[in-house]
Amino acid sequence: MNKIFEVPLYPYERAPDQDATVAVRHPVVIVGAGPIGLGAAIDLAQSGVPVVVLDDNDKVSFGSRAICFAKRPLEILDRLGCGERMVEKGVEWELGKVFFDEREIFDFNLLPEKGHRRPAFINLQQYYFEEYLIDRLRELQAEGAPIELRGGNKVSAIGNHADHVKIEIDTPDGPYELEADWLIACDGAGSPIRRMLGLEFVGQVFEDNFLIADVIMEADFPTERWFWFDPPFNRGQSALLHKQPDNVWRIDFQIGWDIDREAELKPENIDKRLKAMLGEDVTYELEWSSIYTFQCRRMEKFHDGRVIFAGDAAHQVSPFGARGANSGLQDTDNLAWKLKLVIEGKAPESLLDSYDAERIHGADENILNSTRSTDFITPKSETSRIFRDAVLDLAEQHEFARPFVNSGRLSVPCTYDGSPLNTPDALDGPARTRPGAPCPDAPLGEGYLLDRLGGGFTLLTIDADAPDEIEEDGIAATRLALSAKDDPTGALADRYLGAAKSAVYLIRPDQHVAARFPEYDEAQIRAALRRATGKE
């Protein structure tokens, strides 16, 4: 068993707040030191917002858990200072293969175009991800950033007031209280904070279960995602195989609804399944096993007064498609810059309503795709199964049928169409960079475009004139001046100009497009800045 599970990375230490005579007030308190809570804390601290993270644990999460990290979250992690470590350790992949019975039906490539710094996906155990985030947090602390991580601090009660949140905390030294201007709940799908506030978490539970087995073994399988429908080693069900670092392989078996969980998790029963799949002579070590049930649920709103929810605490999707941790990181990417502006008094509190609007849009998109995947993978009637199997047969020979095969639509970034922060599109440009869209990467000489975006508003000009900076009501947009000639591959022009000869983009701190125009117009840019910060 990996020693990382036994090492306290943030052991309990008594904080000065515990000796204060009255509850100490902090600008932001985050509950939960998983990937989403740590990501939010790093994002805020990097921009100078003081933050305290509370968790009743002191170690990384047990088991591999989330393992697939998509290109967009890796780009977010670059901005947070740990993307490179993730990619260096992770197993890169972009090719997936689909099998029906013993036949390979087809394969697919998730990143067919060039000119991106980051790969389509990496596989990396969640415990490494959490370790790298904690290391980054310690780096920031050493640099003097206002960030604190308190292990062994369990939130037992909260009070949500008009201008603050009161927090009661249990520790090995006894209870104490804190106050926070804002509380961010990143405490998982079972969110105690959500329960304390009596908020609903509604949706659908699918009548099926999957067994996860993470095994350490030497194997010569290629670095690809393999998915089986009705394989001979798991008849009438499905299975999934993924490679992780350190010769760890993730294997998922669909095992049905009416099961004995305790029996299924016995090592001898897991061994029978693995040997049926891999062969009787396979030698392996079982690192971790678990059973999960497909669930798709979300909160009605993602913030309630001064309490804001992110990640699984706000929404939960079935794991096929790698939409859990990936969408949670996009939550915090969306939230952090908005909360910073509100705290600094540069934007109204109503700006946080756009967090709800945009990330609920993202959650609904994920839930829709996850539900469709679940319905295809686990048909609930004989008619549905006949249809699915017919699609699989057709897909082997006919390309038109392949888009109908759904082994888990893999995570893609959300475009915030219809967001109240968008300015109506004024450029006859590519659809992929319309207002609300995340900026696609493009090569720029020795570097890449996304490395030069983020942290604040950017005025991206391509073959267009503009001032070096424009400020509107205390918020500045700094110019990044480029020419299509900067990228001889043509990717910049293809992704940002299309048929247009020039373009001016207003890009948000989270690298989403707020507005775009064919040329610079000061009045239009000022209006777009006001709208993107919730002032219009």
Side-chain angles (χ1 to χ4, degrees):
M1 186 60 68
N2 196 316
K3 294 291 185 184
I4 196 171
F5 299 136
E6 303 170 8
V7 179
L9 296 182
Y10 47 102
Y12 169 76
E13 295 180 2
R14 189 174 182 87
D17 290 352
Q18 292 172 250
D19 299 316
T21 54
V22 295
V24 177
R25 175 84 67 95
H26 292 272
V28 179
V29 171
I30 295 175
V31 180
I36 311 311
L38 292 170
I42 290 168
D43 206 346
L44 289 165
Q46 282 188 162
S47 63
V49 177
V51 59
V52 175
V53 184
L54 307 175
D55 199 298
D56 58 349
N57 194 8
D58 60 4
K59 304 177 184 70
V60 297
S61 299
F62 185 77
S64 296
R65 298 180 179 269
I67 66 164
C68 292
F69 298 98
K71 177 176 172 292
R72 180 59 197 146
L74 291 174
E75 293 164 349
I76 294 169
L77 290 166
D78 279 334
R79 189 172 57 75
L80 299 186
C82 50
E84 188 66 26
R85 247 187 121 180
M86 296 277 290
V87 175
E88 284 179 355
K89 180 66 175 179
V91 173
E92 294 186 23
W93 66 277
E94 58 190 39
L95 190 68
K97 291 183 177 177
V98 177
F99 300 86
F100 183 30
D101 197 347
E102 296 184 274
R103 299 159 9 233
E104 181 182 332
I105 303 302
F106 68 94
D107 60 35
F108 56 89
N109 191 323
L110 292 165
L111 190 63
E113 67 177 9
K114 304 297 182 183
H116 296 263
R117 181 184 179 193
R118 292 306 179 203
F121 273 89
I122 66 165
N123 287 350
L124 181 72
Q125 296 92 318
Q126 182 172 318
Y127 49 77
Y128 282 126
F129 182 19
E130 292 184 15
E131 181 185 21
Y132 299 161
L133 287 167
I134 292 167
D135 287 347
R136 176 60 180 149
L137 184 149
R138 298 303 186 202
E139 286 179 3
L140 289 169
Q141 285 181 323
E143 295 167 4
I147 186 169
E148 186 180 352
L149 174 57
R150 300 182 186 176
N153 278 241
K154 182 179 180 180
V155 175
S156 58
I158 64 169
N160 195 1
H161 302 282
D163 64 347
H164 73 283
V165 181
K166 186 176 181 179
I167 310 164
E168 298 178 22
I169 304 162
D170 291 332
T171 76
D173 286 336
Y176 74 108
E177 294 182 357
L178 286 180
E179 290 184 353
D181 293 333
W182 299 92
L183 184 148
I184 306 177
C186 304
D187 51 345
S191 177
I193 302 297
R194 193 180 60 238
R195 291 201 305 269
M196 290 173 194
L197 292 176
L199 300 173
E200 292 189 348
F201 196 48
V202 297
Q204 184 176 3
V205 177
F206 295 89
E207 294 188 357
D208 220 324
N209 293 293
F210 285 76
L211 170 70
I212 296 175
D214 277 358
V215 300
I216 303 170
M217 64 178 179
E218 297 284 346
D220 58 1
F221 302 120
T223 306
E224 300 168 351
R225 178 188 192 263
W226 286 5
F227 191 96
W228 287 266
F229 291 97
D230 194 21
F233 55 83
N234 197 27
R235 273 295 173 218
Q237 310 280 18
S238 63
L240 176 68
L241 175 70
H242 259 306
K243 184 179 182 180
Q244 304 173 63
D246 306 329
N247 290 318
V248 178
W249 294 81
R250 161 69 55 85
I251 302 172
D252 288 28
F253 296 100
Q254 183 184 0
I255 57 176
W257 180 243
D258 189 15
I259 62 166
D260 182 335
R261 284 177 172 252
E262 186 175 335
E264 288 288 352
L265 286 170
K266 288 182 177 179
E268 60 267 29
N269 291 328
I270 294 174
D271 185 62
K272 289 178 184 176
R273 291 188 180 276
L274 290 171
K275 287 186 173 177
M277 177 183 187
L278 302 169
E280 287 292 330
D281 297 330
V282 65
T283 300
Y284 72 89
E285 177 187 346
L286 183 64
E287 181 176 78
W288 178 63
S289 61
S290 182
I291 290 175
Y292 63 83
T293 303
F294 275 178
Q295 300 184 54
C296 291
R297 301 182 290 177
R298 74 162 172 86
M299 299 178 67
E300 182 180 355
K301 286 187 63 181
F302 289 179
H303 88 282
D304 182 70
R306 291 280 172 144
V307 181
I308 307 167
F309 294 83
D312 284 353
H315 48 78
Q316 184 181 16
V317 293
S318 305
F320 282 131
R323 294 172 180 273
N326 286 304
S327 63
L329 285 169
Q330 291 170 72
D331 288 347
T332 59
D333 189 47
N334 185 287
L335 173 63
W337 67 272
K338 297 174 180 177
L339 187 57
K340 171 182 165 64
L341 292 180
V342 170
I343 290 171
E344 293 175 343
K346 295 180 179 179
E349 286 187 19
S350 59
L351 178 61
L352 296 177
D353 292 338
S354 72
Y355 169 70
D356 283 53
E358 292 179 342
R359 292 314 300 158
I360 285 174
H361 175 69
D364 286 346
E365 189 174 276
N366 283 327
I367 288 171
L368 175 63
N369 281 290
S370 187
T371 300
R372 286 173 174 172
S373 297
T374 304
D375 288 341
F376 193 86
I377 293 168
T378 63
K380 297 303 183 287
S381 70
E382 186 59 26
T383 300
S384 296
R385 182 176 293 276
I386 290 170
F387 169 78
R388 187 201 69 181
D389 291 354
V391 168
L392 292 170
D393 282 330
L394 282 169
E396 185 174 13
Q397 301 295 331
H398 302 285
E399 191 169 344
F400 81 87
R402 291 170 188 172
F404 296 102
V405 176
N406 195 334
S407 63
R409 294 281 187 258
L410 288 156
S411 177
V412 295
C414 178
T415 296
Y416 302 135
D417 288 317
S419 168
L421 306 189
N422 294 348
T423 292
D425 196 0
L427 182 74
D428 182 20
R432 67 190 294 183
T433 45
R434 65 191 182 272
C439 290
D441 210 356
L444 297 177
E446 297 297 317
Y448 287 87
L449 174 62
L450 293 187
D451 292 337
R452 301 175 69 179
L453 302 177
F457 280 90
T458 301
L459 194 64
L460 171 64
T461 63
I462 304 174
D463 296 315
D465 292 328
D468 290 339
E469 183 177 279
I470 183 170
E471 183 175 325
E472 176 66 17
D473 198 18
I475 297 175
T478 304
R479 183 188 183 197
L480 173 59
L482 301 177
S483 170
K485 298 174 185 176
D486 295 329
D487 174 21
T489 70
L492 182 67
D494 177 66
R495 295 165 196 175
Y496 287 87
L497 288 179
K501 294 181 180 180
S502 63
V504 176
Y505 280 77
L506 179 64
I507 298 172
R508 302 174 358 174
D510 58 1
Q511 299 177 344
H512 279 253
V513 176
R516 63 179 185 175
F517 308 94
E519 58 190 17
Y520 178 76
D521 181 291
E522 182 176 334
Q524 289 179 327
I525 295 296
R526 289 187 181 280
L529 257 175
R530 289 195 300 273
R531 188 173 293 110
T533 51
K535 297 171 185 173
E536 283 200 359

